[in-house]
Structure formats: C-alpha cells, structure tokens
Amino acid sequence: MKKISLIFTLVLSHGLMLAQNSCEEALEVSQGTHECETLIGEVSNDLECAGLLIGESVNWYYYTAEEDETLLVTSSLSQNGNWDSRLNILTGACSSLTCVAGNDDGGTGYTSDLTFEAEEGITYFIVFDDQWTTNSGEFYIGNEDDVENYVDPDDDGGGGDTPETLITFEATTLPNVITGDCVVDMNGDFLDDIVSVSGATATVSYQQENGTFLSGNIEGPTPENSPSWSIAAGDLDNNGMNDLMYGGGGGVSLMLRSDDGATFTEWATDEYVFCQRGNMVDINNDGILDAYMCHDVAPNVYMLSDGAGGFEYIQGGLGETPNGGNYGSVWTDYNNDGLIDMFIAKCRGGDVPENINQLHRNNGDGTFTEVGEEVGLADNLQTWSSAWADYDNDGDMDVFIGASSTSNGSHKMMRNDDGIFIDITTETGILASMPTGIEHVCHDYNNDGYVDIDISGTTMLLNNGDMTFTHSNTAVNNGPVGDLNNDGYLDIVSPFGGEIYFNQSEGNNYLKINPIGVQSNKNGIGARVTIESNLGTQIRDIKSGDGFGNMSMLTAHFGLGQDEIVESVTINWPSGIVTTLNNVYANNTLNIVEIEGDVVSVQEVLAEEFNVYPNPTSDFLNISSNMNFNSFPIEILDLSGRIVMSILVKDNRIKLADISAGTYLARINANGVYHQVQFVKE
C-alpha cells in the first residue's frame, strides 16, 4: 500500500486561493501547495466530528483518492507556527456527511495532525473550522517525503523523541494563599510574597520562615484601572513600602501604600492609555522610581515621581509610534555603560516601520535614542515579550525574542557582540515549531549557573552552557516567579487556580542578593549585579516587570552549580556607586546596602540595621539577615538607652518573655560593627 501525505498549513495572512463557502461549493484540491483565505464558509446543519460540533465558520475542500492510500493530514508546518487549527475529515453526500477523522492539537503546539486510510474513488471533504480561530493560511497535499517545512510532532528536531520533562514542578495548593500575577516582598523580610488584586483590595499571602503563608489585606479606594493587562511593584514614594502599578484597558493606576503598609491611596492618569506592559524604573536617574507604561494605540507614557506621591505625566520620547503596537517593555543595560536602556516588543509585526521592534539607548542626560536598526534588533517579528539575560555568561545581555505569531517568523536568539546583536537561532537548538505565546521569561531554574527560558508556560529551554538549549516538556501555568519556600530554587505561581508550582530540582547551590538603595532608588531597580565563582562570571539586572503582564521577584538569583564560594559580588548602582563583597558562602541571601568601595566582609555592608520580625511581636523575635548572628550576643535597649536584656542568639531567634510591653532597640555588635533595629513588644 502506497503512503501519501496530505498536509494542510494555515498562517496568519490572506491567501490566494478562495475556499468555497459550503459543502456543495467545496473547492477541489490536488497534490501540491495551496493557500486558503479566512474561514468564512458555513455548515448547513449540526455536524459533529471526533465528538465535537463543527464550528460556525469553515473552509471546505475535497480530495478524491486515486487509489487506496494512507493519508496524513496536518497543519504542522514551520511557517504555521502555533496556529490553533481544528481539522475535520468527512465523506458522503453533502446532505448526509459522515465523520471519518478529526484532530485538534495533535501536531506541534496547537496545530492538527492525523492519519487515516482512504479508499480509491472516495471523495473526502477536508474542513477547517473556527473552534479556535478563523485565521487564513496555506496547505499542502502530497507525499511526506516531498513536502517542505513539515514539522513532525514526534520529532524534537534533534533526531530524538518527543522532549522529556527534564525539570519538574509540583502543583501545590496551600492554606492562606490566594495566587495572582505578582510575586514581591511586601513586608520587608526579604521573603517573596504573593499579591492578588480584586477591586479595592490587594490580598497578600505573606511567606513565613517555616514555609507557611499568612494572609492579609491592603485596603484602598476602588481603583480607576484594574491590573487587567499588567502589574508592577516598587517603592515609588520612598517610604520603605512597595507600591503597585496597575495597567488597565483605559489608564494607569498607581497604588501608593501608607507608611504602615496597611492602606492605599491612588494616583491615576486622566488621559486614556490602552495599557500593555508596565515597569517601574528610575528614568531620569534622580534616585526615585518612576512609572512607565506601553500604550497599544498611541505613543508610550511615563510618570516621573517626585518621591512624595506626586507624578508628572509625559507622553512620547520612549516609543513615539503614533499608532502604538507597543506591548512588552524590558529595561536592561544592553551596552554595559551603567545606564538602563529599554527594549519594546511590538505585537503587530509586518513591514510598516512603526511596527518594528525598538531599542531605546539611554543617553545619560534624561533622553533616549532609538537604535534598534543600528544594533540589529529592528525586527518585524510579531512578539509580545522578550527575555533578556547573559545566556553565554560572557558579561553582556543577550535577548530571546519570543514569537506570539509566526506570520513574520518564529522565535529568535540574538547574541550580544559588543553592543551589536547577531541572530544565532539556528545554532542554539531553538525550534521554530516551539509553541508561540505572550509570556517569555528567563531564570536559572535548575541552579546550574546558566539562565534558562520559560516559553509561555508550556516549554522550558534549559541552557546547556554553550549557547545551546535542550527542550524540556515542562508545562505549568505561566505566572510570576520567586522563591516561595526559601530553598534557593525558583518557583512559579499560577495566576489562577490557587496553586504554586514548587520547583523539585535539587543538588545545586545558589546565591540570592537584595540590593538596598541609599542614593539610588530603595529597591535597587536598574542595578547590575555581577558575581565571580569557579563557574565564571554571571550578571543580573534588577528590574520591575518582565515578560508581558506579570511581576516577578526583585531579588537577583544566581545558580552556582557545585560552587561553594563566590569570590566576589559587585553591584553597580544606578547612582554610579560600586559596592564589592569578597568571599561569600553559597546558599545565602545577601541584603546589601548601597555603600561605595570594596567590602571585605558581609558585616560591613549591613550598615546600621538588620531585620527582625514579627514587628510588633509578643513572645519571640526572629532575626533576618544575610549573616549568621548565632555566635554574637544581642542587646535589648529601652528608648532611654538602658540595656534590659543581653542574650546569645540561637537559631536566629530570641525569647522576649522576660521584658515588659514597650518600644525597644535590638542591637548586635558583630566584629566591631553595630547593627540595630527598633521593634515593639506587645
């Protein structure tokens, strides 16, 4: 029996061949390549195939088998990308059709792929329906050996089997946890919390030292704009409390927390803004965070903060495209000049100049210059987000540009070569057939020292350390990222369903760093963190808002593989100050205050304060610090300066049962450097 492959491909552009609108007018197709237009045909009655009702809009074709044949019908071609097709094969008279076979998502991603036995002389109707999309495209009929660009769903592109699950996440539902789109420390204990917004209330699931969560609400006015498109976090008014920015369909709302963190006040735009990705970043480098928002249908906008709750609204200058298409903004220092730059992923693609991806270089004087074409990033790829990281650990930021559609090409890996970006996609093992999507983020998920890429929550590209990637069939609901059980491995929050995907990896070391700005903004957003260990050099930029809509941790996380010592940690602050620590142990969290110069011990960088919690407290006081205070005595002083208790710290905790209610200072003298913080005993 001769095998013939019958292959259908649909892409997001208008075709040349008009499909007929009904079964009676179905267009005959033969072996070869054809195009079809948008699905606009109809069905005359309720037809089912493969257990599903055929959609209301269809395209009709027919093929008559010239002999007994094994036919493959598929929409899995590389130019199709992740076209969400549904395929039906029918036979019989138009008034009484019978389903032969149907398929949905049987190809690569959401494409369709099926094989059936055709009989000589029998006419088969090929029907694509609008269960998921009405988009137009191409199809091919013929032998599999002759077709170009066929993507076999059983082939991983490297001669192997379907990608294995090489990194595992366990979905867990925990009490007192309401999952959402934001993971950030909301109470200053340097543990990642989860924020969920509903109307006037932001519910925070506060991570505890023992791995549990406590839930609390931050109340405020009902915001004029909900975070329906994006959310970002940071301290906009310099009061020590992280605020939230909501990007809605009609404008921007900045939710500013009170000094005690319990309530919000709102600053909202009067102007219409169709928000997409939003970020917090110090645009004018005055030491105070500002707010930036991509505008879908007009020039982008930003709000310069005065540090006291007031904002100056500015439109243009950072993406002035008159008809928008601005979707995914990422702020990162691409040219290593110490100034934060900004890349915009454009959703519309095509050859219209204003739909081309943009890179805005920071000139250092409050202005920016668009240099996308100059550096090789002026691409018409249709994308909602990009993932910036130093994938080859050579000291500069590369970029993975994730396709949301393949109408203008698929995913790209662009290597940074002294500020010029080179397309090395074909060398990396990244396949055009990978699922498309809108959320593309990058972190070191297995702590091996090389940054991996999460493709819209369906596939992970695990970095092999040589600028090639291995596909892992790791499917989780794409959401914000943070260390949600404080084990040094990064977890993912489901934006719905109440689940946390806990990372099950083990065996590798890590280092986490929280910059604490003094002259720079308090979150250290825009800082470049560099570490040196036996693995080599790794860099991270602190940024608020990546991917498309979520907000992930503000901590710089590094995987260390088997390295147990980090020879140096260097922070280049937005202010220009450089802080360096030497000889840091692995598997620690460093909370580093902005101090200029070389620091030979962790103690010196902690300055005058360390953190204690809960505050207020009743029986116990827990100490949160990047160093081990167990070998030092802690003194409790009343506000007159009298020492009321002196005790050795045990397990980073002290008992307070012997002192009365009141306000006190906890003070530690660590190798001649004093650290103290105020707390309340109830």
Side-chain angles (χ1 to χ4, degrees), residues 136-155:
S136 59
E138 298 178 355
F139 61 84
Y140 172 87
I141 304 173
N143 190 287
E144 179 179 342
D145 295 334
D146 298 329
V147 63
E148 297 180 358
N149 302 327
Y150 175 49
V151 181
D152 187 342
D154 294 325
D155 185 359

Side-chain angles (χ1 to χ4, degrees), residues 238 286-288 515-524 573 575 577 592-595 607:
N238 267 358
D286 63 352
I288 302 169
I516 304 170
V518 178
Q519 295 189 40
S520 303
N521 66 87
K522 290 189 176 180
N523 301 101
W573 300 87
S575 65
I577 288 175
I592 301 178
V593 174
E594 184 176 10
I595 296 176

Side-chain angles (χ1 to χ4, degrees), residues 89 114 137 210 283 329 403 411 441 500 504 514 584 600 644 678:
I89 306 296
L114 61 80
N210 61 3
I283 294 175
S329 49
H411 311 288
V441 296
I500 300 174
Q504 301 301 297
N514 293 300
V584 174
V600 296
V644 298
Q678 183 173 295

